[in-house]
Amino acid sequence: MGHPYIPEGYVFPEATRRLPYADTESPAVKPVWDKLGFVQDNLFRMLAHAPSTFGPLGSLVHAMLGDLELDIRHRELAIMHVDHVRNAHYGWAWHFTIARDDAAINEQQLAALQKGDIQGELWSEEDRAILRFIDEQIRNGVVGEETFKAAKAYMNDRQLVELLIVIGAYALIGNVMETTELQLEWQPENPLQRKPRA
């Protein structure tokens, strides 16, 4: 299955500097890979090293990107801010266009996120409440009472729990992406889409 970001003819590398990519044709991986219809990208090729968790995690990613009640803007604010805090350059690049084009997070706001500005004038009161919630959760593992109440004003119970799941899942995925040093499959033209690796 192709993807519009990955150039036609892209030759997938055999390894990062730290680890080889998994063999997606291996008997342990192929049935799960085929069943879930993964996009052939370097993230899923790395996650496939752990076949017993690869399938459930892949299903979770699919659900987060297509089956949530959570507002797409809240979802993408979470993903982009987690990627900023975790310095996940691979995830930042992949979600940049989704955040801008599908979630209406404009480039000024994305530039602010990249600088860690989550409370400035560019943000609505709702955005600030949601971003404060995301920030406290990713940095502290818990959210204060005032922050919780402010964010809860914009979400029902299901949406709030979905937001917590997105924050946690993308923190986990970011750990894999950056610790294994995944290579991005294309060179983004927009400088804002490129986040330097620390």
Side-chain angles (χ1 to χ4, degrees):
M1 182 188 305
H3 193 283
Y5 292 168
I6 302 176
E8 190 174 338
Y10 173 75
V11 178
F12 286 94
E14 293 183 9
T16 71
R17 188 177 68 82
R18 291 184 159 180
L19 280 179
Y21 287 99
D23 178 6
T24 59
E25 295 295 315
S26 74
V29 174
K30 186 169 173 44
V32 180
W33 187 279
D34 291 347
K35 179 181 177 185
L36 291 174
F38 287 116
V39 170
Q40 176 86 358
D41 68 18
N42 290 336
L43 172 60
F44 286 122
R45 292 171 65 232
M46 187 58 72
L47 291 173
H49 273 300
S52 61
T53 58
F54 171 58
L57 183 57
S59 295
L60 176 61
V61 169
H62 280 223
M64 289 188 297
L65 297 180
D67 297 328
L68 299 184
E69 189 178 289
L70 180 67
D71 185 276
I72 188 173
R73 184 176 178 88
H74 295 168
R75 185 195 77 194
E76 291 301 314
L77 285 172
I79 293 170
M80 296 304 279
H81 190 53
V82 168
D83 284 343
H84 166 71
V85 171
R86 293 299 176 99
N87 200 42
H89 89 291
Y90 184 93
W92 177 276
W94 269 95
H95 275 269
F96 178 91
T97 304
I98 299 168
R100 185 191 61 197
D101 297 350
D102 300 338
I105 304 170
N106 66 45
E107 291 198 5
Q108 284 181 298
Q109 291 169 327
L110 287 163
L113 274 178
Q114 201 171 59
K115 294 173 188 167
D117 173 9
I118 58 170
Q119 295 299 303
E121 294 180 359
L122 288 170
W123 303 108
S124 69
E125 184 177 329
E126 179 177 345
D127 288 337
R128 287 194 294 271
I130 298 299
L131 283 164
R132 197 163 43 248
F133 183 98
I134 296 162
D135 192 63
E136 287 187 22
Q137 180 63 40
I138 192 64
R139 292 181 192 278
N140 305 331
V142 68
V143 171
E145 191 64 27
E146 285 186 21
T147 299
F148 185 92
K149 286 179 180 176
K152 184 68 174 72
Y154 300 103
M155 293 180 287
N156 63 31
D157 296 351
R158 172 178 171 171
Q159 292 164 339
L160 188 138
V161 172
E162 287 177 346
L163 179 60
L164 286 167
I165 291 168
V166 169
I167 294 166
Y170 275 85
L172 180 158
I173 292 166
N175 290 344
V176 173
M177 291 187 290
E178 292 312 299
T179 301
T180 61
E181 297 188 359
L182 294 187
Q183 300 103 321
L184 196 57
E185 295 87 351
W186 80 102
Q187 183 61 40
E189 294 180 9
N190 188 329
L192 273 177
Q193 197 168 3
R194 299 191 292 269
K195 184 169 178 53
R197 179 169 268 139

